[in-house]
Coordinates of all heavy atoms in Angstrom, one line a residue:
S100 N 26.3 -8.4 0.5 CA 26.6 -8.7 1.9 C 25.3 -8.7 2.7 O 24.3 -8.0 2.3 CB 27.6 -7.6 2.4 OG 27.9 -7.9 3.8
G101 N 25.2 -9.4 3.8 CA 24.0 -9.4 4.6 C 23.0 -10.3 4.1 O 23.3 -11.3 3.3
R102 N 21.7 -10.1 4.5 CA 20.7 -11.0 4.2 C 20.1 -10.8 2.8 O 19.9 -9.6 2.4 CB 19.6 -11.0 5.3 CG 20.0 -11.5 6.6 CD 18.9 -11.8 7.5 NE 19.3 -12.6 8.6 CZ 18.5 -13.3 9.4 NH1 17.2 -13.3 9.2 NH2 19.0 -14.0 10.4
I103 N 19.7 -11.9 2.2 CA 19.2 -11.8 0.8 C 18.0 -12.7 0.7 O 18.0 -13.9 0.8 CB 20.3 -12.3 -0.2 CG1 21.6 -11.6 0.0 CG2 19.8 -12.1 -1.6 CD1 22.8 -12.4 -0.5
F104 N 16.9 -12.0 0.4 CA 15.6 -12.7 0.2 C 15.1 -12.5 -1.2 O 15.5 -11.6 -1.9 CB 14.5 -12.2 1.2 CG 14.8 -12.4 2.6 CD1 15.6 -11.5 3.4 CD2 14.3 -13.6 3.2 CE1 15.8 -11.8 4.7 CE2 14.6 -13.8 4.6 CZ 15.3 -12.9 5.3
P105 N 14.3 -13.4 -1.7 CA 13.6 -13.1 -3.0 C 12.9 -11.8 -2.9 O 12.3 -11.6 -1.8 CB 12.7 -14.3 -3.2 CG 13.1 -15.4 -2.2 CD 13.7 -14.7 -1.1
M106 N 12.9 -11.0 -3.8 CA 13.3 -10.9 -5.1 C 14.8 -10.5 -5.2 O 15.4 -10.6 -6.3 CB 12.4 -10.0 -5.9 CG 12.8 -9.3 -7.0 SD 12.4 -10.2 -8.5 CE 13.6 -9.5 -9.6
G107 N 15.4 -10.2 -4.1 CA 16.8 -9.8 -4.1 C 17.7 -10.9 -4.6 O 18.7 -10.7 -5.4
L108 N 17.4 -12.1 -4.2 CA 18.2 -13.3 -4.7 C 18.1 -13.4 -6.2 O 19.1 -13.7 -6.8 CB 17.7 -14.6 -4.0 CG 18.4 -15.8 -4.4 CD1 19.8 -15.8 -3.9 CD2 17.7 -17.1 -3.8
F109 N 16.9 -13.1 -6.8 CA 16.8 -13.2 -8.2 C 17.7 -12.2 -9.0 O 18.1 -12.5 -10.1 CB 15.3 -13.0 -8.6 CG 14.4 -14.0 -8.0 CD1 13.0 -13.7 -7.9 CD2 14.8 -15.3 -7.5 CE1 12.1 -14.6 -7.3 CE2 13.9 -16.2 -7.0 CZ 12.6 -15.8 -6.8
T110 N 18.0 -11.1 -8.4 CA 18.9 -10.1 -9.0 C 20.3 -10.7 -9.1 O 21.0 -10.4 -10.0 CB 18.9 -8.7 -8.4 OG1 19.4 -8.8 -7.0 CG2 17.4 -8.2 -8.3
L111 N 20.7 -11.4 -8.0 CA 22.0 -12.1 -8.1 C 22.0 -13.1 -9.2 O 23.0 -13.2 -9.9 CB 22.3 -12.7 -6.7 CG 22.5 -11.8 -5.5 CD1 22.9 -12.6 -4.3 CD2 23.6 -10.8 -5.8
L112 N 21.0 -13.9 -9.3 CA 21.0 -15.0 -10.2 C 20.9 -14.5 -11.7 O 21.4 -15.1 -12.6 CB 19.8 -15.9 -10.0 CG 19.7 -16.6 -8.6 CD1 18.5 -17.5 -8.5 CD2 21.0 -17.4 -8.4
A113 N 20.4 -13.2 -11.8 CA 20.4 -12.6 -13.2 C 21.7 -11.9 -13.5 O 21.9 -11.5 -14.7 CB 19.2 -11.7 -13.3

Side-chain angles (χ1 to χ4, degrees):
S100 182
R102 293 198 164 198
I103 308 158
F104 294 88
M106 152 96 205
L108 181 64
F109 301 156
T110 67
L111 293 182
L112 300 180

